[in-house]
Amino acid sequence: PIAAPKPSDSVKVKIVMTHFAHKRYDLAIKEATQMLVDNPGDLQALKWQAMCKARQAIVARDEAAAAQHYEKALEYDESNHEARAFVRDHHRDKRLNALPFGRYFTTKKK
């Protein structure tokens, strides 16, 4: 059987979060990937990896990919407000855009 992951290394999590806060998503992903090498299944590393990939998808204007990454982040941390709000809004907008004239009821993206 696969061993349960050890607790996350709080120093490394802080490094990942700092890169994330400064929009250095590639560096945060690299650090999170290294955390997973040292501790396979580390939930913090998996969550922050998904959050970074979601933000990269937003920058690339790929909302569908961003929603997928945010959904993955919610698997690791269901209380994440950023991920929850994006997924909720994305699915609402998708439903409205499927309706005739539904696009008139969505708010414009900045």
Side-chain angles (χ1 to χ4, degrees), residues 5-26:
K6 299 176 294 218
S8 301
D9 181 331
S10 60
V11 173
K12 289 183 179 178
V13 171
K14 194 169 182 176
I15 292 169
V16 171
M17 290 171 67
T18 300
H19 286 316
F20 182 81
H22 291 282
K23 298 182 176 155
R24 297 186 299 249
Y25 306 123
D26 288 338

Side-chain angles (χ1 to χ4, degrees), residues 25-106:
Y25 306 123
D26 288 338
L27 292 173
I29 290 170
K30 187 175 175 184
E31 188 69 36
T33 301
Q34 185 57 50
M35 287 173 68
L36 289 167
V37 169
D38 299 339
N39 185 13
D42 184 321
L43 295 179
Q44 287 289 319
L46 291 166
K47 175 184 87 168
W48 286 107
Q49 215 174 30
M51 292 295 292
C52 288
K53 289 179 180 180
R55 289 268 188 98
Q56 286 178 323
I58 289 171
V59 170
R61 298 191 185 287
D62 185 347
E63 283 193 29
Q68 285 180 322
H69 291 299
Y70 277 131
E71 285 171 358
K72 197 153 200 62
L74 286 171
E75 289 175 23
Y76 307 119
D77 177 11
E78 61 191 27
S79 66
N80 187 295
H81 297 295
E82 175 183 335
R84 185 183 300 277
F86 187 91
V87 169
R88 181 191 62 227
D89 293 349
H90 175 73
H91 289 303
R92 182 203 61 218
D93 291 351
K94 225 165 91 172
R95 277 194 311 276
L96 285 172
N97 286 331
L99 298 171
F101 304 107
R103 67 180 175 276
Y104 296 114
F105 300 104
T106 62

